[in-house]
Amino acid sequence: HDAGQQGGGLYLNYQGDATVTRSAIVDNHSVNGGGIYSDGTLMLTNTTLSGNTAQSNYGGGIYASSGSTTLEFSTIAGNSGSSYGGIYLTGTQADVRSTVISGNVNTQCYRSGGTLRITSTLIRDGSCGAPGCAGGRRTAQALHRQRPGGESRVQRQTLRHHSVQAW
C-alpha cells in the first residue's frame, strides 16, 4: 500500500489511540512512517513490521512523533528509509520490551527528544549502506540519540554486529 505522505500501513492522528495485536504490517510505503506513522498512543503486541519503506525520509518501520509508543513481543525487521529505516522516535515516550529489531536499512532505532526505555530486546546488524548516508551523516548505530535531554535507558540487551563508516 502506498499512502503518500504518512503511514503506509497505519496512520494514527493527533491524540488517537491504536492497539495492534497478533498482526503483520508488511510492504507499505509512504514519505514518513512506511509501516506506521503515529502522533497518538500506539501499542504493538506480537506484531511484525517488515518490508515497509519511508521513501524520502524517516521511519521505514515506525515514525512516532508524540504521545506514547509501546512495543512488546514484536519484530521490526527488513524495513528501510533514506535516513532511518527501523524506528524513528521524536518527542514520544517509548517503551520497547522483548522485541527484535534487526536487518533494517540505515539505523535500527533513532531517538530525538522524548524518552526511550528498552528492556530484554535484541537489536542486531546495524549497518549504513550507500543509500541514506548522504549529507555527511553516518548514524548507523543500533541506537542513535541526537538531542540532549530526555532519557535513554537500555537494560538486559544484546547489541550485535554494528558498524559506522568514517566521516
Side-chain angles (χ1 to χ4, degrees):
H1 179 252
D2 188 348
Q5 290 297 311
Q6 297 160 329
L10 171 67
Y11 176 68
L12 180 58
N13 205 347
Y14 302 104
Q15 299 177 351
D17 295 340
T19 299
V20 180
T21 304
R22 291 185 298 276
S23 300
I25 299 173
V26 179
D27 296 331
N28 298 287
H29 311 278
S30 70
V31 173
N32 290 311
I36 297 174
Y37 183 96
S38 176
D39 279 334
T41 301
L42 175 65
M43 171 80 166
L44 297 179
T45 304
N46 293 324
T47 295
T48 297
L49 278 87
S50 94
N52 299 293
T53 303
Q55 296 164 326
S56 298
N57 291 313
Y58 309 119
I62 299 172
Y63 180 113
S65 66
S66 62
S68 66
T69 302
T70 303
L71 297 123
E72 57 185 16
F73 307 108
S74 294
T75 300
I76 313 299
N79 301 287
S80 63
S82 63
S83 296
Y84 306 103
I87 303 171
Y88 179 84
L89 306 167
T90 179
T92 187
Q93 307 303 310
D95 192 4
V96 180
R97 297 184 294 264
S98 302
T99 291
V100 174
I101 304 170
S102 178
N104 298 290
V105 177
N106 297 326
T107 302
Q108 303 299 333
C109 186
Y110 175 90
R111 180 184 79 81
S112 175
T115 301
L116 172 61
R117 184 174 55 212
I118 301 173
T119 308
S120 301
T121 291
L122 172 67
I123 301 174
R124 184 183 172 109
D125 298 327
S127 62
C128 188
C133 287
R137 185 172 45 225
R138 306 289 186 197
T139 55
Q141 300 90 343
L143 171 65
H144 179 81
R145 180 173 170 223
Q146 182 74 17
R147 293 185 195 161
E151 177 183 359
S152 292
R153 185 175 299 170
V154 179
Q155 301 172 330
R156 295 185 301 276
Q157 294 308 116
T158 302
L159 306 174
R160 272 197 192 122
H161 305 293
H162 301 282
S163 62
V164 177
Q165 295 176 356
W167 290 74

